[in-house]
Amino acid sequence: MGPYVFGIRVCYFMGKIKNNSLYLIITEEYGRGRSAAEIAKKAIAGGVDMIQMREKNRPREELIKIGKSIAALCGDKNVTFIVNDNPLLAKELGADGVHLGQEDMKLYPINKVRKLIGKNKIVGLSTHSLDQLAKANEDDCDYIAFGPIFPTKTKDYSIGTKDVRRVLEIAGKPVFFIGGINLSNIDTLLGKGAKNIAVIRAMLEADDIKTMAEDFKCRLTENRKERVRHAIKN
Ligand code: TZP
Ligand code: MG
């Protein structure tokens, strides 16, 4: 929520996703020995808006334990908590939503997911091409992730920034750009109109996660101010 102006609360939210959002995706094994909870705590202190638990091939008890710890930290600070891959787990953890990849949707069709988790919850979809993005735009999801934009150890290909402007023209909902984003390349993306980003390693591998989150958040906020200044001038 924003401040009151003339007695009216100015809301910074567009639907369920905040503008200029910084979305941290946590896979504990990339965190240089730090626990998911420790990572989440530092990232929240640095200003992340959303956190996703993305743990592959871990036993259920561990997913529940990690999920509960992140959910509690997010709940305390009003940070959105999303569970990757599994809407049933998202529901069990009382998460704010679920994130599905193209393969996950075969197992969990999006309309069933929506019914399962409820209309007030968040459903995010991964897309890797303009065709997938156009399809996701029609689907009942709340945000779309698009990438991998830059080369990343997490994926074996990247698609570059050539489609970024087109993505933003087509998408009727918030888009998170993802893949290899760091403080050295983020400006290329923001310069093409990107507003929201999602990151894994740039944050998880940082010596100081809190400062890294602050630096990312600062770039997003500066970018928003720059867009406003530009809009006023023209
Ligand atoms: N989807 C597209 S790229 C990516 C995912 C999950 C990995 C992003 O990780 P990193 O470390 O920020 O490149
Ligand atoms: Mg998945």
Side-chain angles (χ1 to χ4, degrees):
M1 290 282 209
Y4 278 99
V5 175
F6 303 124
I8 298 166
R9 170 91 68 185
V10 178
C11 194
Y12 293 143
F13 290 83
M14 285 280 289
K16 300 171 196 170
I17 308 292
K18 246 192 218 176
N19 279 329
N20 315 296
S21 275
L22 174 59
Y23 189 174
L24 171 64
I25 301 172
I26 298 180
T27 303
E28 202 173 42
E29 67 166 304
Y30 304 149
R32 297 172 44 193
R34 294 167 289 199
S35 72
E38 185 183 347
I39 294 163
K41 203 170 183 173
K42 290 179 168 148
I44 291 169
V48 296
D49 302 284
M50 297 175 69
I51 293 184
Q52 179 188 124
M53 175 174 77
R54 181 180 187 264
E55 297 294 341
K56 307 278 182 184
N57 310 315
R58 291 189 73 156
R60 194 186 131 76
E61 314 81 76
E62 287 183 20
L63 293 176
I64 298 284
K65 194 167 163 232
I66 296 171
K68 280 187 176 166
S69 68
I70 303 178
L73 292 162
C74 286
D76 280 351
K77 301 285 183 206
N78 230 352
V79 168
T80 301
F81 173 49
I82 305 286
V83 170
N84 194 27
D85 296 336
N86 188 339
L88 298 165
L89 182 63
K91 188 166 173 147
E92 188 171 344
L93 288 168
D96 297 302
V98 64
H99 184 91
L100 302 174
Q102 295 288 317
E103 289 302 311
D104 302 318
M105 281 189 277
K106 293 180 185 157
L107 192 59
Y108 302 112
I110 191 141
N111 293 339
K112 288 199 178 145
V113 170
R114 176 59 74 193
K115 278 202 192 104
L116 179 79
I117 72 163
K119 65 175 182 342
N120 296 328
K121 297 285 182 176
I122 294 169
V123 178
L125 296 184
S126 283
T127 64
H128 316 292
S129 65
L130 287 175
D131 282 350
Q132 288 177 359
L133 179 104
K135 162 88 178 56
N137 209 28
E138 300 303 315
D139 283 335
D140 185 7
C141 69
D142 301 289
Y143 73 83
I144 302 171
F146 187 85
I149 299 293
F150 301 112
T152 166
K153 280 192 248 168
T154 320
K155 299 276 174 183
D156 55 10
Y157 69 102
S158 59
I159 52 186
T161 56
K162 66 181 187 324
D163 291 330
V164 169
R165 286 190 202 280
R166 187 72 192 126
V167 163
L168 294 166
E169 276 164 20
I170 298 172
K173 36 191 116 187
V175 177
F176 285 86
F177 291 94
I178 183 167
I181 300 171
N182 56 43
L183 291 176
S184 307
N185 60 24
I186 186 174
D187 289 342
T188 317
L189 204 46
L190 299 179
K192 288 177 184 280
K195 295 188 184 72
N196 312 302
I197 60 153
V199 296
I200 305 182
R201 291 184 200 257
M203 208 108 97
L204 294 196
E205 291 181 350
D207 290 336
D208 182 340
I209 293 173
K210 175 173 177 277
T211 302
M212 185 57 79
E214 283 169 353
D215 289 350
F216 269 117
K217 197 62 205 171
C218 188
R219 295 291 185 91
L220 293 171
T221 312
E222 278 307 311
N223 178 53
R224 179 177 61 87
K225 285 190 197 149
E226 191 47 48
R227 282 199 315 271
V228 172
R229 274 196 291 271
H230 185 79
I232 290 169
K233 252 202 313 195
N234 295 287

